[in-house]
Amino acid sequence: MKRKIPKIVKEIKKTVFPPIEYTTQKSISYSQISMFHTCPHRWKLTYKDGHKLRDINIHLVFGTALHETLQLYLTTIYEENIVKADKLDLEEHFKKTLREEYQKSFIKNKKQHFSSSIELREFYEDGIEIIKFVKKKRGEYFSKRGWWIAGCEIPLQLPVNNAYNNVIFTGYLDVVLYHEPTNTIKIIDIKTSTRGWNKKTKADDLKNTQLITYKRYFSEQYNFPIDNIEIEFFIVKRKIYDSEWGDRRIQIHVPASGKVKINKSKNLIEEFVTNSFDKKGKYKDGDYPKRPSQYNCSFCPFNDRSDLCDKK
Ligand code: SF4
């Protein structure tokens, strides 16, 4: 017998947002918030001054291709059935998507290669190992009993707060599941990582705040009780130390997201917005100090642009 689709799942599926009015509104994503708090000067150069230097690398290409493949698998499990999902040629889908994503980035990179065939092959093989593991252990991570999939890449689009109506928070949730018996939403963020997250990464407030922010805005957007929203990082590892010793391709990290953490995430956003925008949503001449460090600068596209950043 066909199950009746729950109200919240229907609502999420049918929600469509009007396009952002860029003449009067500004859109901010969590990656902007994170960039601002890592190095305000980098954010200013990128968004306020418009130096949109492209971040192109094999890790991003790999991440996009793997996201798409895993999302296809999960959607088929929940919207159709496990047998059909297991019959999908995910390996071929991943290979095709990896190739297409590489090609898109190659064009954006002015037709300059940014990886070698050996490296691409290695990433492809790592992806295949991850897919095999997810298929083999599916039951341990994804149960169908009472669960629905509301969708993948579910958009969020709402003003950051009442005082800044023209600054719109936008985000895309990788996977949203709904557990009908307990009226619980689960927001899953898929992360690709070389060897997984260590203690320090798991304790990183800026990383964890991404999902905490999504939880808060999801609750606001769908008027869904915040205490009934679970969040989870689903981290897939390209390399494992030794499977014989229990190292797995998947690591689950559930950040604390109670009242204290929610307030902390609000403050991070507030600090960014009040510094960088006026009430009409226009960029402000706020305070944009440089935060040079070996770590921050090595991942920054302005690292070798001394004309834009002297790192002092
Ligand atoms: S090079 Fe370093 S200091 Fe300069 S913008 Fe980038 S992260 Fe900030």
Side-chain angles (χ1 to χ4, degrees), residues 16-177:
V16 184
F17 296 101
I20 305 257
E21 286 285 343
Y22 286 101
T23 45
T24 52
Q25 295 179 318
K26 292 278 186 310
S27 128
I28 62 160
S29 60
Y30 189 73
S31 64
Q32 283 194 48
I33 298 163
S34 171
M35 186 190 291
F36 175 84
H37 286 287
T38 307
C39 176
H41 188 66
R42 179 176 170 187
W43 180 85
K44 176 188 171 280
L45 288 175
T46 309
Y47 293 96
K48 184 170 179 289
D49 300 346
H51 297 288
K52 294 212 168 146
L53 297 190
R54 294 187 191 285
D55 213 358
I56 290 173
N57 60 62
I58 183 64
H59 293 271
L60 289 177
V61 167
F62 173 78
T64 308
L66 199 67
H67 267 70
E68 266 204 31
T69 309
L70 295 180
Q71 286 169 332
L72 169 69
Y73 184 54
L74 293 177
T75 307
T76 313
I77 288 176
Y78 287 99
E79 288 191 345
E80 305 210 40
N81 56 59
I82 295 165
V83 176
K84 208 163 176 188
D86 282 337
K87 276 192 186 150
L88 289 170
D89 193 346
L90 292 181
E91 289 77 1
E92 188 51 38
H93 182 85
F94 173 65
K95 191 201 238 175
K96 187 172 151 270
T97 320
L98 189 68
R99 245 194 225 135
E100 287 168 358
E101 288 303 318
Y102 186 85
Q103 187 61 20
K104 280 189 216 160
S105 297
F106 170 72
I107 290 167
K108 277 189 204 152
N109 204 34
K110 300 189 180 128
K111 300 201 172 172
Q112 298 284 316
H113 281 290
F114 53 93
S115 180
S116 64
S117 55
I118 295 174
E119 190 183 52
L120 262 169
R121 179 91 215 159
E122 188 186 336
F123 274 78
Y124 165 71
E125 283 167 3
D126 292 341
I128 295 299
E129 289 307 316
I130 292 171
I131 293 165
K132 272 197 219 155
F133 186 87
V134 173
K135 279 169 95 168
K136 196 166 147 204
K137 303 284 180 186
R138 176 207 36 86
E140 289 178 34
Y141 298 97
F142 299 101
S143 159
K144 274 200 80 171
R145 195 172 292 219
W147 286 93
W148 293 82
I149 192 160
C152 295
E153 298 298 323
I154 295 293
L156 290 176
Q157 185 177 312
L158 65 173
V160 274
N161 58 37
N162 290 337
Y164 287 84
N165 273 323
N166 282 330
V167 182
I168 311 295
F169 180 83
T170 54
Y172 289 89
L173 313 181
D174 283 345
V175 183
V176 178
L177 300 177

